Amino acid sequence: WADGDAAAGEQVFKACAACHTVADKTNKVGPSLLGVVGRKVATAEGYTYSDSMKEYAATGAVWDEATLDTYLKDPKAVVAHTKMAFAGVKDDKKRADLIAFLKTKM
């Protein structure tokens, strides 16, 4: 993830922007991703998470770089009944770029 390009990640994020924002803490179809890196799972204020995501959060999971990488590669493999319909970012470089971009949005 240290090799991720935040500028390229901003382009990758465009696919996420239909459901998420990083501009502020406003939730859309999905929770705001402002400050997501380092945040405990399922803790975006005011967002109603699926029971499956709440169960995953109960494990103590945190959206660190490794967790984001695994989740963003195949969300339903990590949280089977997540509300997120997006299939994931399969390309390792694009995922690293996306995480680098999210790290700039604190």
Side-chain angles (χ1 to χ4, degrees):
W1 311 286
D3 296 332
D5 178 340
E10 185 172 9
Q11 296 304 309
V12 178
F13 184 77
K14 288 181 178 183
C16 311
C19 297
H20 298 280
T21 184
V22 291
D24 56 36
K25 292 186 177 186
T26 302
N27 297 313
K28 294 170 73 175
V29 172
S32 169
L33 298 180
L34 182 67
V36 71
V37 180
R39 184 168 76 199
K40 290 180 181 179
V41 169
T43 60
E45 188 175 328
Y47 186 76
T48 304
Y49 290 92
S50 67
D51 290 341
S52 295
M53 187 61 78
K54 291 176 190 174
E55 289 170 14
Y56 180 57
T59 69
V62 173
W63 291 123
D64 58 21
E65 292 172 1
T67 303
L68 282 166
D69 185 59
T70 302
Y71 184 74
L72 291 172
K73 184 173 185 174
D74 188 356
K76 293 201 182 292
V78 177
V79 181
H81 301 289
T82 179
K83 289 182 182 180
M84 191 158 95
F86 186 66
V89 179
K90 305 304 182 199
D91 182 276
D92 293 342
K93 173 75 170 105
K94 287 182 179 179
R95 232 176 22 262
D97 293 345
L98 177 57
I99 293 167
F101 171 70
L102 291 173
K103 287 172 61 177
T104 70
K105 299 300 175 180
M106 304 307 285

